[in-house]
Amino acid sequence: MAILRIVKGNEAGRAYELKRGTSIIGRNPDSDIVLDHDAVSRPHAQLDFDGHDYFLEDLGSLNGTSVNQRPVVSGAKGRVRLRTGDCIKVCGFQFVFDSQDPNDTSLVRLVDSRVLPKVAASVDLSSSSLDVQLDVNAAATLRAMLGITEQLARQLDIESVAPRVLESLFSIFAQAERGLVVLRDPETGKLSPAAYKVRHERHEPVRVSSAIIEEVLRSKTALLTQDASQDERLAGSDSVSDLGLHSLMCVPLLGTDGQAFGVIELDVLNRKARFRDEDLDLLACVARQLGTFIEIARLHEVALREQKAQEELRRIEHELDVARRIQRGLLPSRPPVIAGYQFCDVYHPAEQVGGDYYDYIYLPGDRLAVVVADVSGKGVSAALLMARFANETRQMFVHEPDPVAAIGRLNESVLAVSQEGKHITLLAALLDPKTHELRIVSAGHPEPLLRRADGSVETVAVPGSGFPLGFFTEAAYFDQALRLAPGECLLLFTDGVHEAKNSDEEPYGVDRLRAKLAGAPRDDVREVLKAVLDDVHAFVGQHRQSDDLCLIGLRRVV
């Protein structure tokens, strides 16, 4: 019976025996484990026993559940298999899980032992001579493999295959008192127990000699030792003689490529019982087939992980595509049409969704606000903040006639909702087509460029424009007024333009942008933006786009 013990919170020290079915943790009085705290959801989490292991599942709780400080994703897909010693946190309560299972692999400790015990018999599994032994033990091997095959039928995961391998071997080798499957991680090379079984219950940690395991893996040879406690060479060493073993068989598990990826070890603790040479022959023959079983299970797990990763990638790509379409829906579908003016815009996010934003907001009195903004960072988090900000910006400029006051109120709004460290730069140009006057307000945004009718380019400096939205409450904003003459063009942009870098990490720069704007075609604002964008792309080359890029041009025709 597994135990869940409270180590922190109300009733610390209390232990709950978990049912073999489902146990509910929650605030409801009828929960199996009742946690009387408002932060705990009524049904908060549940523990399920599948006949072999316990799994923890979060039931969509408000404040979440974690195992070993890692959040548990709510729902059946996020459930976590528990091992002895796992720390479970539910709000202010902290539990420790104890499987009370004598076969729990967390009880196993691989200890370094430098001296090998005397080998009584060995079988080289990499040699073709094993085929002769297979013929000698054909009947016994066939019976063993039939039993194991029946046990492993329809089992294709390591967590199920390895324990069942030991169950089958215990039925074949009646003298075995302890069994262990150790596998080497193909990525890290680290050895770790995949399954552990004892014939008689014991809950204390069990030490296993790593010297024999390493030797078997290195030589690909099955080894049999007898009564290591009587081996004088091992006296005083932290080795098999200190582990209470009197007979041991350790055989390598070989993959189809002939490489050893793990071992099976069977131990005898009773002095009156021991393994014989023919037992090692039989286990060696069985191990060749078991290696294939386990390798198939490992490959199946890899395939499942890759499949799940691909499914998750497709899900994320789908959600990002939906987010991209939603974000695109927040942006203008086309430039405005105003007599005597041309408008054009370009937006290229660095990822599928971005943090740059632009808009054309129609205002009372036939005026137009041209807005460009940039959330710090990029990707989904920037896009989410920008989505909320876009709606508030439209509402603010429509209902607040003074653009400076509108920016101030937007600053307060961003301070209220943005995450720590997030801020927004913004530039708004309010155009009155009747008077051709522009009122420009900036909140820490790159200064726009004005190209005169003669081709000269000026920077439109806005006084006191150094503080982005969301920096601090007392930020003050100002505006700059100018009047557009026929043929003049105003270029608004985000820092993804002048900070675009080439393969040498050199930025495109404002000076190059000014020069390109000065030499761009003068009769069509669309050609102006095309010339600038082409030049940025030519400068960047094959270097990856590092930030969202947005360009807006407006030109007075007559």
Side-chain angles (χ1 to χ4, degrees):
M1 185 76 69
I3 298 293
L4 200 62
R5 190 183 309 277
I6 299 180
V7 295
K8 184 178 179 181
N10 295 339
E11 299 184 285
R14 180 174 180 179
Y16 293 89
E17 289 190 355
L18 300 179
K19 298 185 297 186
R20 289 293 186 177
T22 297
S23 300
I24 301 295
I25 301 174
R27 187 157 45 92
N28 269 344
D30 59 352
S31 298
D32 298 286
I33 300 175
V34 180
L35 302 180
D36 188 13
H37 194 284
D38 291 342
V40 179
S41 297
R42 292 185 178 278
H44 194 103
Q46 71 181 37
L47 296 109
D48 294 309
F49 183 70
D50 71 347
H52 189 265
D53 293 305
Y54 281 90
F55 292 84
L56 177 70
E57 177 184 337
D58 184 87
L59 299 177
S61 64
L62 181 63
N63 293 309
T65 309
S66 68
V67 175
N68 299 329
Q69 299 184 338
R70 293 185 178 181
V72 177
V73 178
S74 63
K77 290 185 177 180
R79 72 178 195 158
V80 177
R81 184 165 72 98
L82 297 176
R83 295 179 180 271
T84 294
D86 280 351
C87 179
I88 302 167
K89 187 174 181 181
V90 175
C91 300
F93 296 86
Q94 191 167 306
F95 300 85
V96 170
F97 175 78
D98 183 355
S99 71
Q100 296 287 296
D101 180 1
N103 301 326
D104 188 349
T105 57
S106 65
L107 297 172
V108 178
R109 304 286 187 270
L110 296 181
V111 296
D112 184 20
S113 51
R114 299 179 181 179
V115 184
L116 284 172
K118 187 180 297 183
V119 175
S122 64
V123 177
D124 184 0
L125 268 72
S126 64
S127 171
S128 59
S129 63
L130 184 63
D131 295 333
V132 177
Q133 294 163 333
L134 181 60
D135 291 336
V136 172
N137 296 307
T141 302
L142 180 60
R143 287 195 302 272
M145 288 310 304
L146 285 175
I148 291 175
T149 301
E150 183 178 357
Q151 283 284 331
L152 300 183
R154 297 182 297 278
Q155 300 296 334
L156 284 175
D157 60 284
I158 289 292
E159 292 181 359
S160 298
V161 168
R164 283 165 175 76
V165 165
L166 293 179
E167 289 177 13
S168 299
L169 293 176
F170 267 47
S171 66
I172 297 170
F173 300 100
Q175 68 273 54
E177 296 180 68
R178 197 172 74 178
L180 180 69
V181 176
V182 176
L183 300 179
R184 190 187 296 279
D185 189 297
E187 296 181 0
T188 65
K190 183 180 178 181
L191 292 172
S192 60
Y196 175 67
K197 182 174 179 62
V198 292
R199 198 174 292 276
H200 306 291
E201 272 197 24
R202 54 189 300 170
H203 299 289
E204 68 274 13
V206 176
R207 297 185 302 157
V208 176
S209 169
S210 62
I212 291 180
I213 294 174
E214 292 285 3
E215 175 60 22
V216 167
L217 286 170
R218 184 196 64 78
S219 64
K220 303 176 188 176
T221 299
L223 301 179
L224 167 64
T225 70
Q226 298 289 13
D227 207 358
S229 62
Q230 302 301 313
D231 191 338
E232 295 179 356
R233 299 175 307 113
L234 304 178
S237 67
D238 186 14
S239 62
V240 177
S241 64
D242 302 311
L243 304 181
L245 305 180
H246 296 284
S247 187
L248 172 153
M249 291 191 297
C250 189
V251 299
L253 295 169
L254 304 183
T256 52
D257 59 357
Q259 297 301 310
F261 63 84
V263 301
I264 295 176
E265 181 179 314
L266 296 179
D267 304 332
V268 175
L269 306 179
N270 188 344
R271 288 181 180 273
K272 297 180 180 180
R274 63 179 59 193
F275 294 119
R276 299 168 298 176
D277 292 2
E278 51 266 37
D279 292 326
L280 184 66
D281 293 342
L282 176 57
L283 184 58
C285 293
V286 171
R288 172 174 280 184
Q289 308 305 316
L290 291 180
T292 302
F293 268 111
I294 294 177
E295 184 180 38
I296 291 173
R298 295 185 80 174
L299 292 174
H300 180 68
E301 283 191 347
V302 171
L304 283 180
R305 285 198 299 269
E306 291 179 351
Q307 180 183 349
K308 289 180 180 178
Q310 289 297 323
E311 290 174 353
E312 181 67 9
L313 181 61
R314 285 193 293 269
R315 184 189 66 80
I316 293 173
E317 288 177 343
H318 173 72
E319 291 182 356
L320 285 175
D321 184 60
V322 172
R324 180 187 59 80
R325 285 187 273 117
I326 292 174
Q327 185 182 42
R328 187 64 208 179
L330 297 172
L331 302 177
S333 58
R334 63 182 64 87
V337 178
I338 296 178
Y341 282 86
Q342 294 177 338
F343 297 86
C344 186
D345 51 68
V346 174
Y347 178 40
H348 290 168
E351 300 176 1
Q352 285 187 279
V353 291
D356 282 3
Y357 159 73
Y358 71 95
D359 205 353
Y360 306 108
I361 305 171
Y362 294 93
L363 307 176
D366 296 327
R367 296 176 302 147
L368 177 74
V370 181
V371 179
V372 61
D374 181 6
V375 173
S376 59
K378 55 183 179 293
V380 174
S381 62
L384 289 173
L385 180 56
M386 187 53 73
R388 175 168 182 163
F389 176 75
N391 182 60
E392 293 188 0
T393 301
R394 294 190 190 107
Q395 297 297 322
M396 204 68 73
F397 275 100
V398 168
H399 295 99
E400 176 55 68
D402 181 6
V404 173
I407 297 296
R409 292 179 61 184
L410 280 174
N411 179 56
E412 295 174 1
S413 176
V414 174
L415 280 167
V417 303
S418 68
Q419 300 172 351
E420 184 177 355
K422 286 289 184 183
H423 60 270
I424 300 174
T425 67
L426 175 142
L427 188 133
L430 277 67
L431 172 67
D432 187 340
K434 297 176 182 177
T435 64
H436 307 295
E437 184 180 69
L438 276 170
R439 289 184 66 189
I440 300 176
V441 184
S442 177
H445 199 80
E447 297 169 327
L449 299 177
L450 175 64
R451 187 180 70 180
R452 299 294 187 180
D454 62 2
S456 61
V457 175
E458 303 173 6
T459 298
V460 181
V462 181
S465 61
F467 300 110
L469 306 177
F471 254 44
F472 61 89
T473 308
E474 302 301 324
Y477 300 98
F478 305 89
D479 64 345
Q480 175 70 32
L482 62 89
R483 189 175 183 278
L484 281 182
E488 292 185 338
C489 176
L490 185 70
L491 183 68
L492 290 69
F493 52 93
T494 59
D495 57 12
V497 177
H498 59 279
E499 293 182 0
K501 295 180 180 179
N502 60 17
S503 57
D504 295 326
E505 294 296 320
E506 298 171 334
Y508 181 78
V510 175
D511 289 342
R512 181 163 178 153
L513 179 60
R514 288 169 61 98
K516 195 62 191 178
L517 178 60
R522 301 188 183 183
D523 296 332
D524 192 334
V525 72
R526 291 172 297 182
E527 293 299 321
V528 172
L529 262 62
K530 183 178 184 303
V532 171
L533 192 62
D534 288 348
D535 193 52
V536 172
H537 286 163
F539 176 82
V540 171
Q542 298 300 314
H543 194 58
R544 181 180 179 274
Q545 181 181 343
S546 59
D547 200 359
D548 305 324
L549 179 152
C550 183
L551 278 167
I552 299 177
L554 66 94
R555 176 177 177 270
R556 181 182 171 187
V557 180
V558 293

